[in-house]
Amino acid sequence: MFFTSPWMLLSLFLHLPSLDADAARAGGEHRDATEPIRLPGCVPIHAHDLPSSMLADRSSATYAGLLAMARDAARADGVLVNTFRELEPAIGDGADGLKLPPVHAVGPLIWTRPVAMDRDHECLSWLNQQPRGSVVYVSFGSGGTLTWQQTAELALGLELSQHRFIWAIKGPDQDTSSGAFFGTANSRGEEEGMDFLPEGFIERTRGVGLLVPSWAPQTSILGHASIGCFLTHCGWNSTLESVSNGVPMIAWPLYAEQKMNAAMMEVQAKVAIRINVGNERFIMNEEIANTIKRVMKGEEAEMLKMRIGELKDKAVYALSKGCSILAQVTHVWKSTLQPSPKY
Ligand SMILES: *[C@@H]1O[C@H](CO)[C@@H](O)[C@H](O)[C@H]1NC(C)=O
């Protein structure tokens, strides 16, 4: 099995049957738990940071599907995980007696394109003109959306921070934070314009900020020397891309396991600062601006930069190790699998 998310989520899956039995005994739902879930070597997971499929009623079909998937995962002959040990030191740790299939870290696998392919993109020539480490890159990934009120507030926060920014901007969605994930009709495309932004925002931030509608060449942006931090939803791809490029993060998680990733990055890896979205509350522009300032400048910013610089170097080394593990696995497959009989 190839697991594209972090070990912490896989560990949660593998523990789910026993967590479920505990919940059944207590006669409760996971969302009502007052104590965080403590998996070996991972940051404690508070109920409000759990993926929504785990917060669903235990009697629901969504939850039953999750539980079935968790039981299947435990039966795999082995699991390759897109992570690395220096980022998740507890990978494969069944310290609490849980029987695990063999687990191997093969990451950080990220999709990089030849830089030449993106060189002519408007945002990269714009980045070339900005001072080193001066730009905040803002993106909620391919699926993430905000309400229009929150999108407008984010715009005001960026403006108030007085830092340069590139914003891979999506149309708002009032109903869900993953409005673009399945390309729902609610999330509006660029053709409908940017009328959800505050009045005068585009004029006031001209030259300081660059809006890139819907898609941006992310790995090239994160690899550019002008980038100072990444305001991200903490999807695992984005997280690994930020780490691999040594860019400190502002974590603004939205859905799936993103809140767990954000906690891991802030508390364990110490390469991010979280915007508090625990209670799905509205985030004010002052808070957005202050968090940007903390990550861009000052003592805290220096610490983050140092930590993620170290992690970046380890990521490069880990990837070469991951490749040799993959090679070993392929070797085992080749030597154990019988060639299909010819009829
Ligand atoms: C993560 O990256 C891989 C490789 O580019 C891609 O196939 C996958 O769709 C990405 N996942 C998400 C959720 O965007």
Side-chain angles (χ1 to χ4, degrees):
M1 174 173 157
F2 175 48
F3 198 74
T4 57
S5 295
W7 158 251
M8 176 153 76
L9 184 64
L10 178 58
S11 180
L12 182 66
F13 273 178
L14 296 170
H15 283 87
L16 192 57
S18 81
L19 292 169
D20 183 66
D22 292 346
R25 258 194 307 278
E29 300 289 347
H30 295 299
R31 61 175 176 268
D32 300 324
T34 49
E35 281 295 306
I37 296 173
R38 294 175 197 281
L39 304 170
C42 296
V43 291
I45 310 168
H46 297 273
H48 57 78
D49 287 340
L50 286 169
S52 59
S53 46
M54 226 181 122
L55 297 176
D57 287 348
R58 286 180 41 255
S59 58
S60 69
T62 307
Y63 183 81
L66 185 73
L67 197 57
M69 209 158 75
R71 295 208 162 102
D72 280 347
R75 281 200 297 267
D77 292 317
V79 191
L80 306 173
V81 190
N82 190 10
T83 191
F84 60 110
R85 190 165 290 281
E86 293 76 8
L87 184 63
E88 294 197 275
I91 181 170
D93 189 346
D96 53 357
L98 183 75
K99 205 177 154 311
L100 298 172
V103 176
H104 304 285
V106 295
L109 300 170
I110 60 174
W111 188 55
T112 46
R113 311 199 305 162
V115 175
M117 276 179 75
D118 296 328
R119 205 168 30 215
D120 298 332
H121 195 281
E122 168 201 27
C123 71
L124 290 161
S125 37
W126 184 81
L127 273 175
N128 287 340
Q129 293 152 26
Q130 312 306 320
R132 212 182 157 78
S134 70
V135 179
V136 182
Y137 170 52
V138 183
S139 172
F140 294 95
S142 48
T145 46
L146 304 174
T147 62
W148 70 259
Q149 293 91 336
Q150 187 65 82
T151 306
E153 196 71 13
L154 169 56
L156 296 178
L158 289 170
E159 188 179 352
L160 186 66
S161 78
Q162 298 193 307
H163 280 284
R164 295 175 172 80
F165 63 88
I166 289 188
W167 184 1
I169 191 166
K170 283 208 162 62
D173 191 309
Q174 295 305 96
D175 301 328
T176 164
S177 60
S178 58
F181 198 68
F182 299 109
T184 59
N186 284 346
S187 59
R188 303 184 304 167
E190 58 189 287
E191 61 278 3
E192 287 182 61
M194 298 279 180
D195 55 354
F196 49 83
L197 289 171
E199 178 106 42
F201 169 77
I202 294 180
E203 293 71 34
R204 289 195 302 275
T205 57
R206 205 178 292 287
V208 180
L210 187 69
L211 299 178
V212 182
S214 77
W215 187 88
Q218 178 157 304
T219 43
S220 294
I221 292 176
L222 288 172
H224 198 287
S226 298
I227 293 296
C229 82
F230 183 12
L231 195 167
T232 172
H233 66 312
C234 283
W236 195 237
N237 277 345
S238 286
T239 303
L240 291 181
E241 286 164 11
S242 207
V243 166
S244 300
N245 284 291
V247 178
M249 286 168 269
I250 296 171
W252 182 328
L254 297 176
Y255 59 97
E257 91 293 4
Q258 293 161 8
K259 290 172 191 166
M260 291 166 49
N261 299 347
M264 188 204 303
M265 288 307 119
E266 183 187 67
V267 179
Q268 186 180 306
K270 300 189 172 67
V271 295
I273 291 181
R274 262 182 301 181
I275 282 195
N276 188 357
V277 287
N279 303 320
E280 313 285 348
R281 68 194 169 84
F282 190 72
I283 298 162
M284 301 296 290
N285 69 74
E286 294 85 359
E287 188 176 344
I288 297 165
N290 284 338
T291 314
I292 291 174
K293 286 179 184 163
R294 279 170 65 194
V295 177
M296 289 294 278
K297 218 168 169 260
E299 220 171 288
E300 216 174 352
E302 290 308 314
M303 283 299 291
L304 289 169
K305 223 183 288 172
M306 195 192 75
R307 290 275 314 169
I308 203 149
E310 290 169 4
L311 206 50
K312 173 190 170 170
D313 294 340
K314 291 174 181 162
V316 175
Y317 173 68
L319 189 55
S320 66
K321 256 192 341 198
C323 288
S324 66
I325 291 170
L326 271 180
Q328 284 170 32
V329 171
T330 342
H331 180 75
V332 172
W333 281 340
K334 280 183 178 160
S335 57
T336 55
L337 290 181
Q338 300 297 320
S340 53
K342 292 203 174 70
Y343 295 103

